[in-house]
Amino acid sequence: QVQVVESGGGSVQPGGSLRLSCSASGSIFRIDPMGWYRQAPGKQRELVATITSGGKTTYSDSVKGRFTIARDNAKNTVSLQMSLQMNSLRPEDTATYYCRARQTDGVVYWGQGTQVTVSS
């Protein structure tokens, strides 16, 4: 079992920045990759960014160049830490952001989500 918890959401004006954090605990040794997804009202959940244990990253076209995903690969046997630095935020980035941890056997765990609102 893996427990996933996000933090760091909030409200910001267009052009502003926010940093989201995710902590995964439990059976963390089989987690790879980790990622961020988001879901806006009335829309499907979509990929934002992913990162592997080796540091390989992928981004959706809508956030490329503005968002940066990072993973703490320190030898912490208790939890895995991941972040999403979001710059130059736009109103269309408004959504609930979810942290996803995928085990190597394909089992997926989700956090409860954190709200990001970009509005003037």
Side-chain angles (χ1 to χ4, degrees):
Q1 286 289 326
V2 176
Q3 295 76 46
V4 180
V5 179
E6 307 98 336
S7 61
S11 295
V12 66
Q13 292 186 340
S17 298
L18 281 174
R19 181 182 177 89
L20 305 183
S21 297
C22 173
S23 178
S25 59
S27 300
I28 62 173
F29 296 105
R30 295 187 293 158
I31 294 176
D32 198 16
M34 295 183 74
W36 289 97
Y37 290 70
R38 67 186 182 186
Q39 187 167 18
K43 295 187 177 181
Q44 290 187 333
R45 192 171 297 189
E46 63 175 5
L47 169 72
V48 176
T50 64
I51 186 167
T52 68
S53 58
K56 181 179 179 180
T57 59
T58 60
Y59 295 92
S60 69
D61 288 342
S62 62
V63 306
K64 201 171 294 183
R66 300 187 297 123
F67 291 11
T68 303
I69 189 171
R71 177 169 171 166
D72 182 1
N73 283 328
K75 294 184 179 180
N76 183 342
T77 61
V78 178
S79 65
L80 283 175
Q81 308 297 321
M82 181 178 67
S83 63
L84 185 70
Q85 178 66 41
M86 305 185 294
N87 298 328
S88 301
L89 283 162
R90 305 167 180 169
E92 54 263 40
D93 294 318
T94 295
T96 301
Y97 284 70
Y98 296 90
C99 176
R100 177 183 185 263
R102 181 184 183 278
Q103 290 186 340
T104 52
D105 60 1
V107 177
V108 172
Y109 296 90
W110 294 93
Q112 80 287 353
T114 185
Q115 180 66 35
V116 171
T117 302
V118 184
S119 174
S120 56

